[in-house]
Amino acid sequence: MNNGEKIVQMAHNEIEWWKAHHRKDRGKLIEEMTRLHILLFNMTYEDAKKVVLYRIEAAGSHDEAEEYENQGNQNKADIHWAKAEESLQIYFA
């Protein structure tokens, strides 16, 4: 795959995971993010999927933290912000 083809494919994978997120299609979300990570970071499929799952876990904790903050429950929000940060530390490692 040449550089131009790679760019087109990465843009496609990015859009497809956005759509999957919006449509709440977890399987497609994982697949498209995994394929994007393979291209971005030259990872194996297995490694890419592993880190993507941590990123998705962090996003879920982020969503929960926002909900608790919106309800005025900062203590519970902080617990979920911390969980998100832990998941992202693993993701970035």
Side-chain angles (χ1 to χ4, degrees):
M1 179 180 299
N2 68 39
N3 196 44
E5 292 169 333
K6 186 176 175 182
I7 290 168
V8 168
Q9 186 61 50
M10 287 188 298
H12 175 76
N13 293 129
E14 183 79 15
I15 292 298
E16 290 303 310
W17 86 249
W18 289 354
K19 286 194 252 182
H21 176 264
H22 176 71
R23 296 170 184 164
K24 299 185 183 358
D25 184 343
R26 182 176 168 82
K28 180 129 173 113
L29 171 69
I30 292 167
E31 185 64 23
E32 294 298 338
M33 286 184 79
T34 298
R35 295 201 177 282
L36 178 62
H37 278 65
I38 289 167
L39 294 171
L40 281 171
F41 304 114
N42 196 31
M43 303 173 85
T44 66
Y45 182 89
E46 293 77 21
D47 287 344
K49 186 173 181 179
K50 181 179 169 183
V51 298
V52 160
L53 292 173
Y54 283 108
R55 180 133 193 148
I56 290 170
E57 182 178 298
S61 295
H62 159 266
D63 292 346
E64 290 182 68
E66 284 185 336
E67 283 185 39
Y68 282 116
E69 278 197 11
N70 290 342
Q71 296 168 8
N73 190 337
Q74 193 60 48
N75 289 333
K76 283 197 175 184
D78 289 342
I79 290 168
H80 290 283
W81 285 124
K83 286 180 182 179
E85 189 168 346
E86 289 171 16
S87 295
L88 286 174
Q89 288 172 2
I90 296 167
Y91 167 80
F92 287 120

